[in-house]
C-alpha cells in the first residue's frame, strides 16, 4: 500500500479472533475517496480484539483512515497518534488501557504534544473507553506558520461525540 498507493477505498475486514500484534498505519498515498478502513468482518466489536503490551494502533502521519467495530487493548494506549493526522475516524470501538495515576499514563486515544504536528478533521464517535489515566488525551500547542511566522492552531475540526468513558483515573 505504501509503495503503490490506493486506486480505490480499501477495507481490511478482520476475521474474529484475538490478535497480539500492533497495527502501524503510517504515511499512505490516500485521498478523501481512496481511504483505508480497518473493521471487524462481522460488524461486532467483540469479535475482533487487538491486545498488545504497548499501543494497539499507531497512527503516524496517517490520513484518510477509518477504524470501526473493533476492540483495542493496549497497556500504553489503545490508539497512539503522532505527527500530521488528518481525516481520521474512530467509531463504534471498545478501547481499553491499564489504569494509571500519572498524567503521562496510558490513555484510550493519546496524542502527545509535538511541535511538528497537527490534527485535522478527527472524529471520535460512539466508542466505549475503559481504564487509563484519561479516555482521550489530545495535547498540542500552537505553532508558527513557516511562511508568515504567525501563530496557528494545530487542531482543526475535532469531533468527540456520544462516547462512554468508564473507570478513567484522572478524567475523560
Amino acid at each position: 500500500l505504501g509503495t503503490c498507493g490506493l486506486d480505490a477505498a480499501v477495507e481490511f475486514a478482520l476475521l474474529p479472533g484475538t490478535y497480539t500484534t500492533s497495527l502501524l498505519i503510517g504515511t499512505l498515498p490516500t485521498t478523501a475517496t481512496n481511504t483505508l478502513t480497518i473493521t471487524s468482518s462481522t460488524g461486532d466489536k467483540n469479535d475482533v480484539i487487538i491486545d498488545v503490551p504497548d499501543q494497539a494502533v499507531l497512527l503516524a502521519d496517517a490520513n484518510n483512515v477509518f477504524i470501526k467495530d473493533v476492540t483495542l487493548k493496549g497497556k500504553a494506549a489503545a490508539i497512539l497518534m503522532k505527527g500530521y493526522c488528518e481525516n481520521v475516524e474512530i467509531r463504534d470501538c471498545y478501547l481499553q488501557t491499564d489504569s494509571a495515576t500519572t498524567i503521562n499514563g496510558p490513555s484510550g486515544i493519546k496524542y502527545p504534544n509535538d511541535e511538528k504536528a497537527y490534527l485535522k478533521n478527527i472524529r471520535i464517535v460512539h466508542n466505549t473507553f475503559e481504564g487509563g489515566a484519561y479516555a482521550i488525551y489530545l495535547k498540542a500547542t500552537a505553532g508558527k506558520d513557516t511562511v508568515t511566522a504567525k501563530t496557528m492552531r494545530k487542531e482543526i475540526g475535532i469531533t468527540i461525540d456520544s462516547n462512554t468513558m468508564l473507570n478513567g483515573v484522572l478524567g475523560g
Side-chain angles (χ1 to χ4, degrees):
L1 291 177
T3 303
C4 297
L6 292 96
D7 282 339
V10 172
E11 180 175 284
F12 287 112
L14 303 176
L15 295 174
T18 299
Y19 299 84
T20 57
T21 302
S22 298
L23 296 177
L24 167 60
I25 302 171
T27 304
L28 293 173
T30 59
T31 67
T33 54
N34 297 343
T35 60
L36 175 64
T37 300
I38 307 293
T39 188
S40 165
S41 63
T42 64
D44 185 344
K45 65 184 165 209
N46 297 308
D47 288 345
V48 173
I49 300 167
I50 299 173
D51 190 352
V52 298
D54 45 14
Q55 66 270 340
V57 176
L58 172 59
L59 298 175
D61 297 316
N63 299 308
N64 306 303
V65 175
F66 301 90
I67 300 171
K68 63 180 189 170
D69 299 320
V70 294
T71 293
L72 303 173
K73 296 180 179 183
K75 305 271 187 282
I79 298 175
L80 178 62
M81 301 172 78
K82 289 186 170 186
Y84 299 95
C85 294
E86 183 174 345
N87 193 29
V88 173
E89 181 171 288
I90 298 122
R91 179 181 291 272
D92 298 317
C93 293
Y94 176 79
L95 300 100
Q96 182 182 28
T97 55
D98 281 349
S99 294
T101 56
T102 64
I103 194 162
N104 292 323
S107 299
I109 297 175
K110 189 169 189 173
Y111 182 78
N113 186 20
D114 186 343
E115 290 276 332
K116 299 175 182 165
Y118 71 83
L119 298 176
K120 183 176 180 184
N121 297 329
I122 306 298
R123 295 168 306 283
I124 304 168
V125 181
H126 200 254
N127 301 288
T128 299
F129 294 87
E130 185 160 2
Y134 298 96
I136 301 169
Y137 182 84
L138 306 177
K139 181 180 179 186
T141 58
K144 297 275 185 186
D145 181 293
T146 55
V147 176
T148 65
K150 292 183 180 178
T151 300
M152 301 180 63
R153 287 190 55 206
K154 294 175 75 170
E155 315 86 24
I156 301 169
I158 296 176
T159 301
I160 300 172
D161 184 22
S162 305
N163 296 286
T164 301
M165 300 173 186
L166 307 169
N167 305 317
V169 175
L170 298 174

